[in-house]
PDB file of all heavy atoms in Angstrom:
ATOM      1  N   ARG A 393      -8.251  -1.952  -7.726  1.00 92.00           N
ATOM      2  CA  ARG A 393      -7.051  -1.570  -8.486  1.00 92.00           C
ATOM      3  C   ARG A 393      -7.347  -0.385  -9.392  1.00 92.00           C
ATOM      4  O   ARG A 393      -6.547   0.583  -9.477  1.00 92.00           O
ATOM      5  CB  ARG A 393      -6.572  -2.775  -9.338  1.00 92.00           C
ATOM      6  CG  ARG A 393      -5.257  -2.594 -10.016  1.00 92.00           C
ATOM      7  CD  ARG A 393      -4.914  -3.834 -10.888  1.00 92.00           C
ATOM      8  NE  ARG A 393      -4.857  -4.986 -10.084  1.00 92.00           N
ATOM      9  CZ  ARG A 393      -5.707  -6.048 -10.209  1.00 92.00           C
ATOM     10  NH1 ARG A 393      -6.684  -5.995 -11.079  1.00 92.00           N
ATOM     11  NH2 ARG A 393      -5.590  -7.102  -9.467  1.00 92.00           N
ATOM     12  N   GLU A 394      -8.473  -0.392 -10.051  1.00 93.00           N
ATOM     13  CA  GLU A 394      -8.836   0.697 -10.896  1.00 93.00           C
ATOM     14  C   GLU A 394      -9.101   1.973 -10.141  1.00 93.00           C
ATOM     15  O   GLU A 394      -8.732   3.078 -10.531  1.00 93.00           O
ATOM     16  CB  GLU A 394     -10.089   0.315 -11.723  1.00 93.00           C
ATOM     17  CG  GLU A 394      -9.816  -0.688 -12.831  1.00 93.00           C
ATOM     18  CD  GLU A 394      -8.930  -0.090 -13.918  1.00 93.00           C
ATOM     19  OE1 GLU A 394      -9.296   0.947 -14.493  1.00 93.00           O
ATOM     20  OE2 GLU A 394      -7.885  -0.683 -14.164  1.00 93.00           O
ATOM     21  N   LEU A 395      -9.794   1.845  -9.002  1.00 94.00           N
ATOM     22  CA  LEU A 395     -10.045   3.060  -8.184  1.00 94.00           C
ATOM     23  C   LEU A 395      -8.777   3.657  -7.680  1.00 94.00           C
ATOM     24  O   LEU A 395      -8.646   4.883  -7.632  1.00 94.00           O
ATOM     25  CB  LEU A 395     -10.970   2.642  -6.991  1.00 94.00           C
ATOM     26  CG  LEU A 395     -12.426   2.304  -7.304  1.00 94.00           C
ATOM     27  CD1 LEU A 395     -13.170   1.838  -6.069  1.00 94.00           C
ATOM     28  CD2 LEU A 395     -13.105   3.519  -7.912  1.00 94.00           C
ATOM     29  N   GLY A 396      -7.810   2.838  -7.313  1.00 94.00           N
ATOM     30  CA  GLY A 396      -6.527   3.349  -6.829  1.00 94.00           C
ATOM     31  C   GLY A 396      -5.744   4.066  -7.910  1.00 94.00           C
ATOM     32  O   GLY A 396      -4.848   4.911  -7.646  1.00 94.00           O
ATOM     33  N   LYS A 397      -6.005   3.729  -9.170  1.00 93.00           N
ATOM     34  CA  LYS A 397      -5.313   4.364 -10.331  1.00 93.00           C
ATOM     35  C   LYS A 397      -5.998   5.653 -10.735  1.00 93.00           C
ATOM     36  O   LYS A 397      -5.318   6.675 -10.966  1.00 93.00           O
ATOM     37  CB  LYS A 397      -5.302   3.439 -11.523  1.00 93.00           C
ATOM     38  CG  LYS A 397      -4.260   2.352 -11.489  1.00 93.00           C
ATOM     39  CD  LYS A 397      -4.339   1.498 -12.730  1.00 93.00           C
ATOM     40  CE  LYS A 397      -4.148   2.346 -13.993  1.00 93.00           C
ATOM     41  NZ  LYS A 397      -4.303   1.544 -15.205  1.00 93.00           N
ATOM     42  N   ARG A 398      -7.303   5.634 -10.894  1.00 94.00           N
ATOM     43  CA  ARG A 398      -7.977   6.759 -11.550  1.00 94.00           C
ATOM     44  C   ARG A 398      -9.257   7.197 -10.807  1.00 94.00           C
ATOM     45  O   ARG A 398      -9.892   8.156 -11.215  1.00 94.00           O
ATOM     46  CB  ARG A 398      -8.304   6.428 -12.970  1.00 94.00           C
ATOM     47  CG  ARG A 398      -9.134   5.163 -13.168  1.00 94.00           C
ATOM     48  CD  ARG A 398      -9.440   4.970 -14.676  1.00 94.00           C
ATOM     49  NE  ARG A 398      -8.251   4.842 -15.412  1.00 94.00           N
ATOM     50  CZ  ARG A 398      -7.625   3.658 -15.653  1.00 94.00           C
ATOM     51  NH1 ARG A 398      -8.121   2.569 -15.140  1.00 94.00           N
ATOM     52  NH2 ARG A 398      -6.499   3.603 -16.381  1.00 94.00           N
ATOM     53  N   GLY A 399      -9.626   6.518  -9.734  1.00 94.00           N
ATOM     54  CA  GLY A 399     -10.889   6.877  -9.092  1.00 94.00           C
ATOM     55  C   GLY A 399     -12.098   6.554  -9.962  1.00 94.00           C
ATOM     56  O   GLY A 399     -11.997   5.732 -10.857  1.00 94.00           O
ATOM     57  N   ARG A 400     -13.177   7.268  -9.696  1.00 92.00           N
ATOM     58  CA  ARG A 400     -14.387   7.063 -10.492  1.00 92.00           C
ATOM     59  C   ARG A 400     -14.978   8.423 -10.825  1.00 92.00           C
ATOM     60  O   ARG A 400     -15.364   9.184  -9.970  1.00 92.00           O
ATOM     61  CB  ARG A 400     -15.424   6.240  -9.676  1.00 92.00           C
ATOM     62  CG  ARG A 400     -16.289   5.334 -10.539  1.00 92.00           C
ATOM     63  CD  ARG A 400     -17.470   4.791  -9.763  1.00 92.00           C
ATOM     64  NE  ARG A 400     -17.204   4.068  -8.527  1.00 92.00           N
ATOM     65  CZ  ARG A 400     -16.916   2.786  -8.472  1.00 92.00           C
ATOM     66  NH1 ARG A 400     -16.824   2.054  -9.539  1.00 92.00           N
ATOM     67  NH2 ARG A 400     -16.767   2.202  -7.287  1.00 92.00           N
ATOM     68  N   SER A 401     -14.979   8.766 -12.120  1.00 90.00           N
ATOM     69  CA  SER A 401     -15.415  10.082 -12.534  1.00 90.00           C
ATOM     70  C   SER A 401     -16.887  10.304 -12.214  1.00 90.00           C
ATOM     71  O   SER A 401     -17.698   9.382 -12.343  1.00 90.00           O
ATOM     72  CB  SER A 401     -15.181  10.261 -14.022  1.00 90.00           C
ATOM     73  OG  SER A 401     -13.821  10.251 -14.326  1.00 90.00           O
ATOM     74  N   PRO A 402     -17.253  11.497 -11.742  1.00 87.00           N
ATOM     75  CA  PRO A 402     -18.652  11.786 -11.444  1.00 87.00           C
ATOM     76  C   PRO A 402     -19.494  11.841 -12.704  1.00 87.00           C
ATOM     77  O   PRO A 402     -19.036  12.201 -13.779  1.00 87.00           O
ATOM     78  CB  PRO A 402     -18.603  13.135 -10.764  1.00 87.00           C
ATOM     79  CG  PRO A 402     -17.384  13.768 -11.292  1.00 87.00           C
ATOM     80  CD  PRO A 402     -16.369  12.667 -11.485  1.00 87.00           C
ATOM     81  N   VAL A 403     -20.748  11.392 -12.566  1.00 69.00           N
ATOM     82  CA  VAL A 403     -21.692  11.423 -13.715  1.00 69.00           C
ATOM     83  C   VAL A 403     -23.019  12.033 -13.219  1.00 69.00           C
ATOM     84  O   VAL A 403     -23.659  11.463 -12.295  1.00 69.00           O
ATOM     85  CB  VAL A 403     -21.917  10.022 -14.256  1.00 69.00           C
ATOM     86  CG1 VAL A 403     -22.904  10.047 -15.463  1.00 69.00           C
ATOM     87  CG2 VAL A 403     -20.637   9.363 -14.666  1.00 69.00           C
ATOM     88  N   PRO A 404     -23.509  13.152 -13.754  1.00 62.00           N
ATOM     89  CA  PRO A 404     -22.786  13.977 -14.690  1.00 62.00           C
ATOM     90  C   PRO A 404     -21.786  14.872 -13.951  1.00 62.00           C
ATOM     91  O   PRO A 404     -21.992  15.138 -12.775  1.00 62.00           O
ATOM     92  CB  PRO A 404     -23.928  14.793 -15.318  1.00 62.00           C
ATOM     93  CG  PRO A 404     -24.921  14.915 -14.235  1.00 62.00           C
ATOM     94  CD  PRO A 404     -24.870  13.581 -13.499  1.00 62.00           C
ATOM     95  N   PRO A 405     -20.739  15.355 -14.608  1.00 50.00           N
ATOM     96  CA  PRO A 405     -19.684  16.116 -13.910  1.00 50.00           C
ATOM     97  C   PRO A 405     -20.227  17.326 -13.207  1.00 50.00           C
ATOM     98  O   PRO A 405     -19.818  17.657 -12.098  1.00 50.00           O
ATOM     99  CB  PRO A 405     -18.721  16.503 -15.019  1.00 50.00           C
ATOM    100  CG  PRO A 405     -18.946  15.451 -16.073  1.00 50.00           C
ATOM    101  CD  PRO A 405     -20.383  15.142 -16.019  1.00 50.00           C
ATOM    102  N   ALA A 406     -21.177  18.072 -13.831  1.00 42.00           N
ATOM    103  CA  ALA A 406     -21.634  19.341 -13.244  1.00 42.00           C
ATOM    104  C   ALA A 406     -22.363  19.140 -11.949  1.00 42.00           C
ATOM    105  O   ALA A 406     -22.417  20.015 -11.106  1.00 42.00           O
ATOM    106  CB  ALA A 406     -22.551  20.034 -14.252  1.00 42.00           C
ATOM    107  N   ALA A 407     -22.935  17.926 -11.776  1.00 43.00           N
ATOM    108  CA  ALA A 407     -23.721  17.674 -10.552  1.00 43.00           C
ATOM    109  C   ALA A 407     -22.939  17.046  -9.477  1.00 43.00           C
ATOM    110  O   ALA A 407     -23.457  16.745  -8.402  1.00 43.00           O
ATOM    111  CB  ALA A 407     -24.924  16.774 -10.909  1.00 43.00           C
ATOM    112  N   ALA A 408     -21.664  16.779  -9.714  1.00 46.00           N
ATOM    113  CA  ALA A 408     -20.854  15.968  -8.787  1.00 46.00           C
ATOM    114  C   ALA A 408     -19.865  16.758  -7.932  1.00 46.00           C
ATOM    115  O   ALA A 408     -19.055  16.212  -7.300  1.00 46.00           O
ATOM    116  CB  ALA A 408     -20.125  14.880  -9.552  1.00 46.00           C
ATOM    117  N   ARG A 409     -19.903  18.115  -8.043  1.00 48.00           N
ATOM    118  CA  ARG A 409     -18.983  18.894  -7.266  1.00 48.00           C
ATOM    119  C   ARG A 409     -19.201  18.703  -5.785  1.00 48.00           C
ATOM    120  O   ARG A 409     -20.346  18.726  -5.282  1.00 48.00           O
ATOM    121  CB  ARG A 409     -19.163  20.378  -7.601  1.00 48.00           C
ATOM    122  CG  ARG A 409     -18.828  20.706  -9.047  1.00 48.00           C
ATOM    123  CD  ARG A 409     -17.314  20.753  -9.251  1.00 48.00           C
ATOM    124  NE  ARG A 409     -16.976  21.023 -10.601  1.00 48.00           N
ATOM    125  CZ  ARG A 409     -15.772  21.175 -11.030  1.00 48.00           C
ATOM    126  NH1 ARG A 409     -14.741  20.941 -10.211  1.00 48.00           N
ATOM    127  NH2 ARG A 409     -15.516  21.395 -12.307  1.00 48.00           N
ATOM    128  N   CYS A 410     -18.156  18.507  -5.022  1.00 54.00           N
ATOM    129  CA  CYS A 410     -18.286  18.373  -3.587  1.00 54.00           C
ATOM    130  C   CYS A 410     -17.142  19.054  -2.925  1.00 54.00           C
ATOM    131  O   CYS A 410     -15.962  18.814  -3.285  1.00 54.00           O
ATOM    132  CB  CYS A 410     -18.402  16.926  -3.133  1.00 54.00           C
ATOM    133  SG  CYS A 410     -17.019  15.942  -3.344  1.00 54.00           S
ATOM    134  N   PRO A 411     -17.324  19.940  -2.004  1.00 53.00           N
ATOM    135  CA  PRO A 411     -16.224  20.626  -1.323  1.00 53.00           C
ATOM    136  C   PRO A 411     -15.431  19.601  -0.507  1.00 53.00           C
ATOM    137  O   PRO A 411     -15.964  18.623  -0.045  1.00 53.00           O
ATOM    138  CB  PRO A 411     -16.935  21.644  -0.422  1.00 53.00           C
ATOM    139  CG  PRO A 411     -18.287  21.086  -0.173  1.00 53.00           C
ATOM    140  CD  PRO A 411     -18.627  20.345  -1.474  1.00 53.00           C
ATOM    141  N   VAL A 412     -14.130  19.870  -0.341  1.00 62.00           N
ATOM    142  CA  VAL A 412     -13.270  18.974   0.428  1.00 62.00           C
ATOM    143  C   VAL A 412     -13.562  19.151   1.908  1.00 62.00           C
ATOM    144  O   VAL A 412     -13.606  20.281   2.394  1.00 62.00           O
ATOM    145  CB  VAL A 412     -11.817  19.248   0.128  1.00 62.00           C
ATOM    146  CG1 VAL A 412     -10.916  18.346   0.937  1.00 62.00           C
ATOM    147  CG2 VAL A 412     -11.554  19.057  -1.357  1.00 62.00           C
ATOM    148  N   ALA A 413     -13.769  18.017   2.547  1.00 59.00           N
ATOM    149  CA  ALA A 413     -14.166  18.072   3.984  1.00 59.00           C
ATOM    150  C   ALA A 413     -13.016  18.510   4.849  1.00 59.00           C
ATOM    151  O   ALA A 413     -11.850  18.175   4.652  1.00 59.00           O
ATOM    152  CB  ALA A 413     -14.645  16.705   4.411  1.00 59.00           C
ATOM    153  N   ARG A 414     -13.368  19.249   5.893  1.00 53.00           N
ATOM    154  CA  ARG A 414     -12.416  19.548   6.934  1.00 53.00           C
ATOM    155  C   ARG A 414     -13.017  19.050   8.222  1.00 53.00           C
ATOM    156  O   ARG A 414     -13.644  17.996   8.234  1.00 53.00           O
ATOM    157  CB  ARG A 414     -12.099  21.045   6.963  1.00 53.00           C
ATOM    158  CG  ARG A 414     -11.651  21.532   5.537  1.00 53.00           C
ATOM    159  CD  ARG A 414     -10.865  22.780   5.587  1.00 53.00           C
ATOM    160  NE  ARG A 414     -10.600  23.250   4.280  1.00 53.00           N
ATOM    161  CZ  ARG A 414      -9.577  22.868   3.558  1.00 53.00           C
ATOM    162  NH1 ARG A 414      -8.733  21.996   3.989  1.00 53.00           N
ATOM    163  NH2 ARG A 414      -9.367  23.354   2.328  1.00 53.00           N
ATOM    164  N   THR A 415     -12.889  19.729   9.306  1.00 44.00           N
ATOM    165  CA  THR A 415     -13.481  19.253  10.575  1.00 44.00           C
ATOM    166  C   THR A 415     -14.428  20.333  11.103  1.00 44.00           C
ATOM    167  O   THR A 415     -14.022  21.437  11.365  1.00 44.00           O
ATOM    168  CB  THR A 415     -12.383  18.992  11.607  1.00 44.00           C
ATOM    169  OG1 THR A 415     -11.442  18.076  11.040  1.00 44.00           O
ATOM    170  CG2 THR A 415     -12.999  18.402  12.847  1.00 44.00           C
ATOM    171  N   PRO A 416     -15.787  20.061  11.235  1.00 42.00           N
ATOM    172  CA  PRO A 416     -16.404  18.764  10.872  1.00 42.00           C
ATOM    173  C   PRO A 416     -16.621  18.648   9.395  1.00 42.00           C
ATOM    174  O   PRO A 416     -16.635  19.693   8.703  1.00 42.00           O
ATOM    175  CB  PRO A 416     -17.754  18.866  11.653  1.00 42.00           C
ATOM    176  CG  PRO A 416     -18.000  20.333  11.647  1.00 42.00           C
ATOM    177  CD  PRO A 416     -16.717  21.035  11.791  1.00 42.00           C
ATOM    178  N   PRO A 417     -16.800  17.479   8.841  1.00 43.00           N
ATOM    179  CA  PRO A 417     -16.968  17.312   7.435  1.00 43.00           C
ATOM    180  C   PRO A 417     -18.282  17.924   6.954  1.00 43.00           C
ATOM    181  O   PRO A 417     -19.258  17.994   7.677  1.00 43.00           O
ATOM    182  CB  PRO A 417     -17.025  15.773   7.233  1.00 43.00           C
ATOM    183  CG  PRO A 417     -17.425  15.235   8.589  1.00 43.00           C
ATOM    184  CD  PRO A 417     -16.829  16.182   9.605  1.00 43.00           C
TER     185      PRO A 417
END
Side-chain angles (χ1 to χ4, degrees):
R393 187 183 302 115
E394 287 293 304
L395 288 175
K397 281 180 57 182
R398 56 178 60 90
R400 214 193 303 274
S401 296
V403 181
R409 296 284 180 179
C410 67
V412 178
R414 306 202 186 274
T415 304

